[in-house]
Amino acid sequence: MIKVQQEEFDVQALYDDLVVNSNTGAVAMFVGLVRHFSSLPSQDCTFELEHYPGMTEHNLQTIVEDACSRWSLNAVTVVHRVGKLAVQDKIVFVGVSASHRAEAFQACDFIMDYLKSRAAFWKKETQGNESKWVDAKEQDEESLSRWE
């Protein structure tokens, strides 16, 4: 399942959907949160995510298909929020079920690495009255080299 949405998501319900059959021996999940990114602890921060509808879902589907071709997976769920988010709001859920933990862990890690670098999302941080678009991080690109 792949969803791009503004609404909050229910981690327990998404987990439940990953336990698809008695062959499921492991579920690995990642939940990303908006962190307080200002150097001033008292300063209000908001985070805004924009995307290109259709293209974003296609990017995510390609990433999931690649993971499924590398590991024997039972189910994969990716939910990514867009719109304005506040500190500690959930941004992304990646969940993978497999027969064995190593496959689930590796596939979840792989999906997150590629999602951070290849999915069509644009991020804007607002601190007080100042906003800026967030550039891609070199570290995210370097993480991809593990999977080549």
Side-chain angles (χ1 to χ4, degrees), residues 2 18-19 23 26 34-35 42 44 54 65 80 83-84 89 101 107-108 110 114 119 122 136 143 146:
I2 295 170
L18 290 167
V19 184
N23 227 12
V34 176
R35 69 181 171 276
S42 62
D44 287 336
E65 288 172 1
H80 207 298
K84 283 193 175 187
D89 280 351
R101 66 182 164 83
C108 189
F110 170 89
Y114 273 82
W122 294 271
S143 292
R146 298 184 299 150

Side-chain angles (χ1 to χ4, degrees), residues 16-25 73-75 97-99:
D16 292 344
D17 289 344
L18 290 167
V19 184
V20 294
N21 58 42
S22 61
N23 227 12
T24 300
L73 306 176
N74 295 338
S97 66
S99 295

Side-chain angles (χ1 to χ4, degrees), residues 61-81:
Q61 184 64 43
T62 300
I63 294 165
V64 168
E65 288 172 1
D66 194 2
C68 289
S69 72
R70 291 170 181 247
W71 296 280
S72 180
L73 306 176
N74 295 338
V76 177
T77 298
V78 176
V79 179
H80 207 298
R81 293 182 65 195

